[in-house]
Amino acid sequence: MTTQEIMNMLRWAAVADALGVPAEMQQRGTYPKITEMQPSSFWEQPAGSWSDDTSMTVCLLENLTTGGDYADLMRRFESYMRYGTNTPRGEIFDVGRTCAHAIRNFSVNHITPLKCGDASPEANGNGALMRIAPVAIMLQSEADLSRRFKVAHDYTVLTHRHARSVVGSFIYLELLHNLLNGESLEKSLHTTKQSVDELLNGSEYADELMYYDPLFAPKFSQYPAETIKASGYVVDTLIAAVWIALKEVTPQAVVLTAVNLGGDTDTVATIAASLAVAGRPATAVNPVWWEQTLNSDLLNKTFRAFADKYHA
């Protein structure tokens, strides 16, 4: 990817997050259709505010740009949660329970980073999935499947240590990897299925694969909307995001469909946008939406530094 293509992908994800915040956790069909930036009455935030999805992604981008270790990344997460760094207005308004627990494990209980994440089945939210897309850009040229899995695993277990979350991150990053290397999303699903089966069947992760089976069904894109759950559960989030990215043609249509689907709108939109733009990296972000996105100077600075390091 070129520097500009990386910038495009990161900007679309941030814009999708900000568009989704006002409808977060509202039931589908119960709110006016979103077509532009709006304030969030629930979170009491102005239009253009982005959530923990982008804040924690910015922390990861800084970590990858500077070559920091996992402890460095956890310290950045801690600074975000305690002091409001890497936020739209210098304060946090939402942080996931599982992520917060992992950060406290690191900062208060002094647990080693790769053991900080909750390993219980109840801790399979989308808090790792929402921030991990930049890892795919870093690994675009990595040919070793086992290496890609190891990196996906490690950046996930910092906050989410159950095998299902690890598998979800791996599938998502493999989809992005294939898209960034020129495959269509349809082809990428086929390639990803082969890679996942090859590496994980017979492993401790094998029992988790069935939860993601709908992604690889022959007519998945034709599933009716009422069968798509856009919740904060990692499986639901990934399925919803891929379904949207398959159905819509442009990144803008992908984002608008996601934010109007109800549920965990900001995260579903962020992930769907990343998938859409990974396959169309020359597509510049909607300039009106980007202009309305708060603290875009911070985002531009962070995105540019990362893109300058990892561009092809």
Side-chain angles (χ1 to χ4, degrees), residues 7 11 29 42 44 55 60 162 188 209 221 226 257 265 269 271:
M7 294 285 287
R11 283 171 173 167
F42 180 81
E44 298 182 343
S55 290
L60 174 60
H162 191 272
S188 179
L209 300 181
S221 65
E226 55 267 25
T257 297
T265 47
I271 293 168

Side-chain angles (χ1 to χ4, degrees), residues 76-85 90 92 103 107-108:
R76 293 179 189 278
F77 288 162
E78 179 186 3
S79 181
Y80 153 68
M81 191 172 79
R82 293 183 64 184
Y83 306 115
T85 55
I92 66 169
I103 294 166
S107 62
V108 177

Side-chain angles (χ1 to χ4, degrees), residues 172-187:
Y172 177 42
L173 289 176
E174 283 298 292
L175 290 172
L176 289 173
H177 177 79
N178 297 324
L179 287 163
L180 293 174
N181 283 286
E183 292 188 358
S184 67
L185 184 51
E186 293 83 354
K187 174 63 175 173

Side-chain angles (χ1 to χ4, degrees), residues 203-223:
S203 76
E204 62 185 293
Y205 299 94
D207 289 344
E208 304 300 329
L209 300 181
M210 64 177 181
Y211 293 97
Y212 297 95
D213 279 347
L215 288 170
F216 308 110
K219 297 184 178 181
F220 172 55
S221 65
Q222 298 177 31
Y223 282 20

Side-chain angles (χ1 to χ4, degrees), residues 135-289:
V135 171
I137 298 172
M138 178 183 72
L139 294 177
Q140 182 179 355
S141 299
E142 177 59 65
D144 187 331
L145 180 62
S146 297
R147 167 66 179 159
R148 296 201 301 269
F149 175 77
K150 176 66 164 58
V151 176
H153 168 278
D154 288 356
Y155 278 101
T156 299
V157 300
L158 297 172
T159 55
H160 293 69
R161 206 153 47 94
H162 191 272
R164 196 169 309 155
S165 288
V166 173
V167 171
S169 289
F170 182 49
I171 291 173
Y172 177 42
L173 289 176
E174 283 298 292
L175 290 172
L176 289 173
H177 177 79
N178 297 324
L179 287 163
L180 293 174
N181 283 286
E183 292 188 358
S184 67
L185 184 51
E186 293 83 354
K187 174 63 175 173
S188 179
L189 282 163
H190 178 71
T191 307
T192 297
K193 173 64 171 170
Q194 290 180 319
S195 298
V196 169
D197 286 347
E198 172 190 335
L199 193 69
L200 300 185
N201 275 330
S203 76
E204 62 185 293
Y205 299 94
D207 289 344
E208 304 300 329
L209 300 181
M210 64 177 181
Y211 293 97
Y212 297 95
D213 279 347
L215 288 170
F216 308 110
K219 297 184 178 181
F220 172 55
S221 65
Q222 298 177 31
Y223 282 20
E226 55 267 25
T227 68
I228 303 299
K229 302 174 183 177
S231 78
Y233 173 42
V234 62
V235 176
D236 289 349
T237 295
L238 186 56
I239 287 174
V242 175
W243 179 82
I244 294 166
L246 283 168
K247 289 187 72 67
E248 300 295 351
V249 175
T250 66
Q252 180 157 318
V254 165
V255 170
L256 291 177
T257 297
V259 301
N260 288 294
L261 200 62
D264 201 355
T265 47
D266 56 335
T267 304
V268 171
T270 296
I271 293 168
S274 296
L275 289 165
V277 183
R280 308 171 186 84
T283 308
V285 71
N286 179 309
V288 175
W289 291 350

